[in-house]
Amino acid sequence: MEDEKIIDLYWKRSEDAISETTGKYGKCIRQIAFRILNNHEDAGECENDTYAAAWNAIPPAYPKSLLAFLGRLVRNIALDRYDYNRAKKRNGKFDVLLSELEECLASPDTVETEVEAGYVAGLISDFLRALDADSRCIFLRRYWYSDSIRDIAARFGMSDSKVKSNLFRTRKKLKEHLDKEGVIV
């Protein structure tokens, strides 16, 4: 079913919206949550929470891209669950991803407002749009979808070391871009 028709089902408050969403995007939603949490049970709960969040957000929201909208919801839900789980123990896989980006992003301990966060998000989006397609996709597969280096290498027909080099160069360019814009101190 087309995304617009699924969104219309949400607007009509039809329970078919959830089943259509599950059928079309369930696997992707679970995959995003699992790559962050590395736990099937938690990923399943995040998937269900995502459907509930979508149900509560649509209406009034009318997303331009249903997949991007759901991806943002599940990612935020999974990150909240990650923080909750991390309070008990560490998840080494996702900690590695976050540590790779630490040098590019300002410390969360600084005084940040929603406006500043939106500004930084805009700068990162602009940066990603300026990258070549492969570098942008590799960066997003690693830091948005939490793909492993090996999975990215297989997807793009590259060696692991080439993917690592590409990510290193892209992070360095991002840091320079943000520094130039006065974001990094």
Side-chain angles (χ1 to χ4, degrees):
M1 179 178 279
E2 298 289 324
D3 284 359
E4 293 80 21
K5 291 181 180 177
I6 296 173
I7 294 168
D8 287 340
L9 289 173
Y10 280 102
W11 274 81
K12 293 175 184 173
R13 308 314 284 164
S14 170
E15 292 181 14
D16 292 338
I18 303 297
S19 60
E20 291 294 334
T21 303
T22 303
K24 188 166 184 180
Y25 295 118
K27 182 179 178 184
C28 182
I29 290 169
R30 278 187 306 278
Q31 198 172 48
I32 291 169
F34 180 77
R35 287 193 174 138
I36 292 171
L37 299 167
N38 203 25
N39 180 300
H40 289 290
E41 185 177 308
D42 285 348
E45 289 179 22
C46 287
E47 178 186 5
N48 291 332
D49 291 347
T50 300
Y51 299 139
W55 183 264
N56 292 329
I58 305 172
Y62 195 95
K64 293 179 184 176
S65 167
L66 185 58
L67 178 58
F69 181 78
L70 295 169
R72 182 173 46 95
L73 288 175
V74 71
R75 187 169 170 75
N76 289 338
I77 290 166
L79 288 171
D80 287 345
R81 174 62 63 98
Y82 172 79
D83 287 341
Y84 175 79
N85 290 348
R86 188 171 179 210
K88 295 185 224 174
K89 59 184 177 185
R90 294 180 56 86
N91 175 344
K93 177 186 170 193
F94 200 68
D95 287 339
V96 169
L97 291 176
L98 294 176
S99 70
E100 288 176 4
L101 287 174
E102 268 178 0
E103 65 186 45
C104 299
L105 302 174
S107 167
D109 298 329
T110 62
V111 178
E112 293 180 85
T113 64
E114 289 296 318
V115 173
E116 289 170 336
Y119 176 70
V120 172
L123 290 174
I124 293 171
S125 292
D126 292 344
F127 170 78
L128 291 172
R129 280 188 205 98
L131 290 176
D132 63 273
D134 282 347
S135 293
R136 179 175 50 250
C137 290
I138 290 168
F139 189 87
L140 290 173
R141 293 304 316 176
R142 181 69 172 157
Y143 300 114
W144 178 258
Y145 295 103
S146 305
D147 284 358
S148 70
I149 299 293
R150 178 166 289 147
D151 289 344
I152 296 169
R155 178 183 287 265
F156 291 93
M158 300 176 168
S159 67
D160 289 3
S161 62
K162 186 169 182 179
V163 170
K164 288 178 187 176
S165 294
N166 183 292
L167 288 168
F168 176 78
R169 286 191 305 273
T170 304
R171 286 192 312 269
K172 184 177 176 186
K173 288 177 189 175
L174 174 60
K175 185 177 187 313
E176 290 169 359
H177 176 72
L178 294 175
D179 195 29
K180 184 177 114 181
E181 296 295 329
V183 173
I184 296 178
V185 286

